Amino acid sequence: MQKLVYTIPESYGGCTVQQFLRGCAGLSWRMVVKLKRVPGGITLDGRPVRTIDRVGAGGRLVLLLPEDTVRIDGVDLPLDVVYEDPYLLVVNKPPLLAVHPSAFKAGPTLANIVVHHFAQSGQPLSFRPLNRLDRNTSGLLLAAKNAHIAHALTTHAANSKIEKFYLALALGRLEGGGVIDQPIRIREGSAITREVAGPGDAGGKPSVTHWESLAACDTLSLLRIRLETGRTHQIRVHMAWIGHPLAGDTMYGEDQTVMSRHGLHCAEMSFTHPVNGAAMRFQQELPEDMRRVVAEYFGEDFVL
């Protein structure tokens, strides 16, 4: 079983176990119920406690999470691990690798590789990615090792927000910076393709993209992009909407003379650790194919 260990802060001294779990620890109600059913699932300073019992500042609260259920097979392929601890895994996903298995695409996925990695480490765990990367997109991907961590980083406190920055190669010259604030919806008649929703169009969800130009020529621009929202294909849709689709993006553009896949890379990620409160920040340099393009268009000496 996985173990979560917390030290009760002064601000929660005298509160009930349940108040601490739901407040400070950010557990979902469902997880609290599951813990109550696990023998020794909640202990304080080595003694079993009930959720109505009180906790003292400085106490050591230990949770034993229920066993995980792994539903896909592992595959033994290389995995570029950027960071790992008992709660989190950060990997550098290569381009041309799907994140999840699909009935429409054969072959191993990042999910299969991560499940194998967990099993080899003596951790039979499911794959719970907390940010989405398209098959052709490379870069940092964060996964939680249990349902509680996933819940805490996606639905709990505002300071648990996962902030991501991307590097993108867009066609044409873009200089300065800007904000694209346009709703995105699924294109009518398609299950995959998205589009900017026009005035009066149904189904549009608020979508905000911040971009900054790092280098530009008449053919190509290198952009640093921050997402305020996280819609499917958001960067690709928004860049195409302003007339600068990503290089190599045949779904929202047409040109593949610069790259054979769309030029998008998750280069930086930061968040607050959901267990110990540490500030976490990771950076990942461009993959080889995007580095070659940058060198060709902006010079061998160009430094990000």
Side-chain angles (χ1 to χ4, degrees), residues 1 3-4 18 21-22 29 51 60 66 83 100 103 126-127 142 153 179-180 182 203 219 235 242 248 252 274 288 295:
M1 287 189 176
K3 182 185 293 185
L4 294 175
Q18 179 164 301
L21 294 179
R22 296 281 287 139
W29 176 255
T51 55
R60 185 173 184 268
Y83 173 83
H100 287 292
S126 297
F127 176 55
L142 171 65
L153 275 171
V179 180
I180 307 169
Q182 293 292 331
T219 304
I235 293 174
I242 65 171
Y252 299 104
E288 180 59 31

Side-chain angles (χ1 to χ4, degrees), residues 140 164 181 227 261 287:
L140 295 167
K164 303 175 292 293
D181 185 354
L227 295 181
R261 58 103 177 176

Side-chain angles (χ1 to χ4, degrees), residues 145-161:
K145 289 191 174 182
N146 58 64
H148 159 57
I149 297 299
H151 173 81
L153 275 171
T154 55
T155 61
H156 184 43
N159 65 356
S160 293
K161 180 180 179 182

